[in-house]
Amino acid sequence: MPLLECRGLTRSFGGLVAVDNVNMAIEAGEIRAVIGPNGAGKSTLFNIITGVLPVSDGQTVFAGEMITGLPVYRVVQKGIARTFQLTHLFPDLTAHENVRIAAQAQHADRWRPLAGGHVLAASRKVADEALEQMRLSRFSGVKAGMLSHGDQRLLEIGMAIAQKPRLLMLDEPTQGLSIEETDRAVQILRDMLAKGDLTVILVEHDMEVVFKLADKITVLHRGRVIADGLPDEVKANDEVQSAYLGGLE
Ligand SMILES: Nc1ncnc2c1ncn2[C@@H]1O[C@H](COP(=O)(O)OP(=O)(O)O)[C@@H](O)[C@H]1O
Ligand SMILES: [Mg+2]
């Protein structure tokens, strides 16, 4: 059974069908890239899987359970964490505080009045580990807004992994990064993925990053899946070549 299964997912905005009957199955442990030109529906697909937007039609099954229509916080509790295409953090809080809030938010005991001490200690430890994994420990006490753009994007991934997800969804994590920052982010992600048993869906415009990280690729074009498979198969697909990869190689 796949960890995540999208069945006929569809989302319209007025007359525009931004995500059109998407079927996709992600196995546990898989790193899946979702690629496609601007406006293809990649972020909308993320938004409907994670409950940020309601679906117009279709279902999402996660770990054997229907999660369609659940609010975002319930989807997070089920084990899906994500980052956003545009930076989404608290600039006036320190790096450590940002990650700790994310860690605390998913803690089962967070609302129990007497749980304060141990929740705090546990969240602190999770935050330390997440910063360490993102190689940001030295910035622990620095306000997030003071970090470089590259470090801010890594911090956001740290916030997502502090939620201890089974499925991590990254929306264009290298957007706006320099070549050096991109290489560094890819290295950090590779190290993180080599260790854990995380499943990842990655939206990424940089094809080099895609080919370095992904086990499989899904290509979206005008809301529809036009190809789906191993990187080499997708690269060789004629429809993908003309719709998107034209000019690559
Ligand atoms: N909240 C929204 N309201 C109206 N149209 C939207 C909204 N979000 C996305 N769209 C439209 O849906 C299409 C897909 O957008 P998006 O999912 O952001 O694409 P991608 O992430 O692949 O670039 C685009 O035409 C976009 O303008
Ligand atoms: Mg997008």
Side-chain angles (χ1 to χ4, degrees):
M1 182 180 69
L3 180 63
L4 182 85
E5 201 182 345
C6 303
R7 298 181 185 157
L9 282 184
T10 300
R11 169 71 203 200
S12 310
F13 296 108
L16 172 80
V17 188
V19 171
D20 191 354
N21 192 28
V22 167
N23 295 298
M24 187 167 78
I26 316 279
E27 300 297 330
E30 184 180 332
I31 314 301
R32 174 73 61 101
V34 175
I35 66 171
N38 253 335
K42 306 177 298 293
S43 292
T44 303
L45 179 63
F46 268 36
N47 287 337
I48 60 182
I49 291 173
T50 53
V52 171
L53 286 174
V55 289
S56 304
D57 201 3
Q59 287 109 35
T60 307
V61 179
F62 180 67
E65 201 182 335
M66 191 86 80
I67 60 163
T68 325
L70 292 183
V72 175
Y73 80 96
R74 295 281 295 138
V75 173
V76 172
Q77 282 173 352
K78 297 283 176 200
I80 301 181
R82 63 147 329 157
T83 63
F84 289 82
Q85 182 166 4
L86 299 173
T87 305
H88 237 74
L89 37 71
F90 302 103
D92 291 329
L93 298 184
T94 67
H96 196 270
E97 285 164 343
N98 269 278
V99 180
R100 202 167 70 218
I101 286 169
Q104 223 156 305
Q106 65 75 238
H107 203 287
D109 280 347
R110 69 200 179 287
W111 305 124
R112 280 176 40 198
L114 298 176
H118 90 260
V119 172
L120 211 63
S123 309
R124 216 172 259 148
K125 183 161 175 280
V126 170
D128 288 342
E129 286 165 2
L131 286 179
E132 171 69 35
Q133 270 195 291
M134 294 299 116
R135 316 264 165 80
L136 292 173
S137 302
R138 68 191 181 288
F139 298 130
S140 185
V142 176
K143 283 189 177 175
M146 302 296 287
L147 299 178
S148 70
H149 182 59
D151 287 330
Q152 290 191 13
R153 308 278 355 207
L154 289 170
L155 180 59
E156 284 180 279
I157 300 173
M159 291 166 70
I161 62 172
Q163 295 167 25
K164 298 280 179 191
R166 293 177 70 187
L167 173 65
L168 174 65
M169 299 176 62
L170 304 174
D171 195 353
E172 306 222 16
T174 71
Q175 179 169 294
L177 300 196
S178 67
I179 293 171
E180 293 76 20
E181 285 176 321
T182 299
D183 285 348
R184 187 162 153 265
V186 167
Q187 195 53 54
I188 290 171
L189 285 173
R190 279 180 124 168
D191 291 348
M192 176 181 89
L193 296 172
K195 269 183 223 152
D197 48 359
L198 256 182
T199 308
V200 178
I201 309 179
L202 167 81
V203 167
E204 181 55 62
H205 60 277
D206 182 331
M207 295 312 295
E208 269 188 53
V209 172
V210 169
F211 290 122
K212 275 180 195 158
L213 290 175
D215 300 322
K216 277 189 174 174
I217 298 174
T218 295
V219 188
L220 277 187
H221 187 57
R222 297 189 179 141
R224 294 201 182 154
V225 175
I226 60 165
D228 188 311
L230 298 173
D232 286 342
E233 295 167 2
V234 167
K235 232 194 242 184
N237 181 301
D238 287 342
E239 201 179 350
V240 175
Q241 283 291 340
S242 55
Y244 185 54
L245 295 178
L248 189 85
E249 295 185 334

